Amino acid sequence: MYLGIDVGGTKTLVAALDNDGVIVEHLRFPTPVRYENFILELAKTIDKLTTKKFKSAGTGIPGRIDRKKGVAIGFGRLTWPEVPIKKDFEKITHCPVVIENDANLAGLSEAMLVKREYNRVLYVTIGTGIGTGIIDDQKIDPNFFDTEGGQILLEHGGRLQKWEDFASGMAIVKQFGKKARDIHDQNTWKLIATNIYVGLIDLIAVIQPEIIILGGGVSSHYRHFSKFLKADFKHYENVLVPIPPIIQAERPENAVLYGCYDLAKMTYG
């Protein structure tokens, strides 16, 4: 059995997965503001699992990591200081732990589902913020370990802004006063598609992926904006920047947990 831990800004998911990567138990809890309280809550939650012994555990966090030291340097919207996640989690889980950025892990799990057709995958999660993961030959590309696509600066509204500041789920609420799930107006989705497009085209030009997989809450509504997104790409078509297929993630809700399993199994067997 393997353990997956998806640490989110608002909630944390914990799952036990069997040797084939099937989730057999799944629990969640609100992510506490203080790290000390989080560790206590995590220990309580893991103790509730029927499974008590794990070969290894994978952990996804929304931030930057010192992989050699097993330390989380930044947590995005969480205000925790630098903390020794690997050491702390191994005390709780009693097994080897590997930590990785959550978008990288989600990208890894989704890339596994298309591995027979595509090797180089760009995963973009559009939720509260925007995260990116680059997978090459079913492995997280070490040259792009710390890619933060949502932080790229783009001209919008007459000034430079971070991409996620005008294209993420939070930005949609701020601009239109509604969450993505409550938007039904086609003109609004057209504007959202264009805001997503301007970031994707820059990433495509640099990364040259064979396929793009969209995950996250906003991307779950891909059917509403896919035609507008494709129209934008068609309008600005460039022979030097081939546009790859763009698809929706198959397992967006648990993509990070599956990625935790994939990386834990790759790392520790």
Side-chain angles (χ1 to χ4, degrees):
M1 297 290 284
Y2 294 85
L3 181 64
I5 304 170
D6 176 9
V7 182
T10 57
K11 67 180 182 297
T12 295
L13 308 179
V14 178
L17 301 96
D18 66 18
N19 291 339
D20 295 318
V22 177
I23 294 177
V24 296
E25 290 185 87
H26 189 191
L27 299 173
R28 68 174 60 199
F29 62 89
T31 304
V33 175
R34 294 177 59 85
Y35 179 70
E36 295 80 3
N37 294 336
F38 167 77
I39 290 296
L40 292 174
E41 194 62 38
L42 178 63
K44 291 178 183 178
T45 302
I46 292 175
D47 192 54
K48 293 177 184 176
L49 295 172
T50 302
T51 304
K52 301 301 180 184
K53 292 184 179 181
F54 299 97
K55 291 182 179 179
S56 57
T59 298
I61 67 164
R64 195 176 180 89
I65 302 160
D66 183 329
R67 292 170 181 80
K68 290 184 178 180
K69 295 180 180 179
V71 172
I73 299 172
F75 283 89
R77 299 183 186 279
L78 290 173
T79 57
W80 297 342
E82 294 185 17
V83 290
I85 276 202
K86 179 178 172 64
K87 180 180 177 182
D88 290 345
F89 280 28
E90 287 182 341
K91 287 181 180 178
I92 295 172
T93 62
H94 307 292
C95 70
V97 172
V98 59
I99 61 173
E100 186 51 72
N101 173 270
D102 54 3
N104 285 344
L105 290 172
L108 177 63
S109 72
E110 288 293 323
M112 290 295 187
L113 300 178
V114 298
K115 65 181 180 182
R116 293 185 178 180
E117 298 178 80
Y118 306 101
N119 284 322
R120 191 157 182 77
V121 177
L122 168 60
Y123 179 83
V124 181
T125 176
I126 307 173
T128 303
I130 295 179
T132 49
I134 295 89
I135 314 302
D136 199 6
D137 196 21
Q138 292 81 61
K139 295 179 182 178
I140 300 169
D141 191 329
N143 297 305
F144 294 94
F145 266 151
D146 296 312
T147 300
E148 288 289 345
Q151 300 296 306
I152 59 176
L153 292 175
L154 299 165
E155 192 280 328
H156 181 77
R159 61 189 178 90
L160 284 177
Q161 297 186 48
K162 295 177 183 177
W163 185 29
E164 68 175 21
D165 285 350
F166 63 86
S168 66
M170 183 174 289
I172 288 172
V173 173
K174 185 176 180 180
Q175 183 175 357
F176 302 108
K178 297 179 180 179
K179 292 184 177 181
R181 64 171 180 261
D182 298 319
I183 295 175
H184 305 288
D185 176 66
Q186 292 292 290
N187 289 327
T188 300
W189 278 115
K190 186 175 182 179
L191 290 172
I192 292 171
T194 297
N195 289 340
I196 292 172
Y197 160 80
V198 295
L200 288 182
I201 193 63
D202 280 11
L203 293 175
I204 292 170
V206 174
I207 297 165
Q208 296 281 302
E210 296 176 11
I211 188 171
I212 295 174
I213 301 177
L214 299 180
V218 175
S219 299
S220 66
H221 304 284
Y222 187 48
R223 66 188 184 280
H224 292 308
F225 66 89
S226 61
K227 64 180 180 181
F228 300 121
L229 188 62
K230 292 173 182 177
D232 280 332
F233 278 118
K234 187 68 176 178
H235 183 71
Y236 295 103
E237 198 169 20
N238 182 341
V239 69
L240 297 178
V241 185
I243 307 303
I246 302 173
I247 66 173
Q248 188 176 339
E250 287 191 33
R251 306 178 298 193
E253 291 298 318
N254 293 317
V256 176
L257 289 175
Y258 287 115
C260 288
Y261 159 81
D262 290 325
L263 187 60
K265 191 169 185 178
M266 287 179 189
T267 305
Y268 296 110

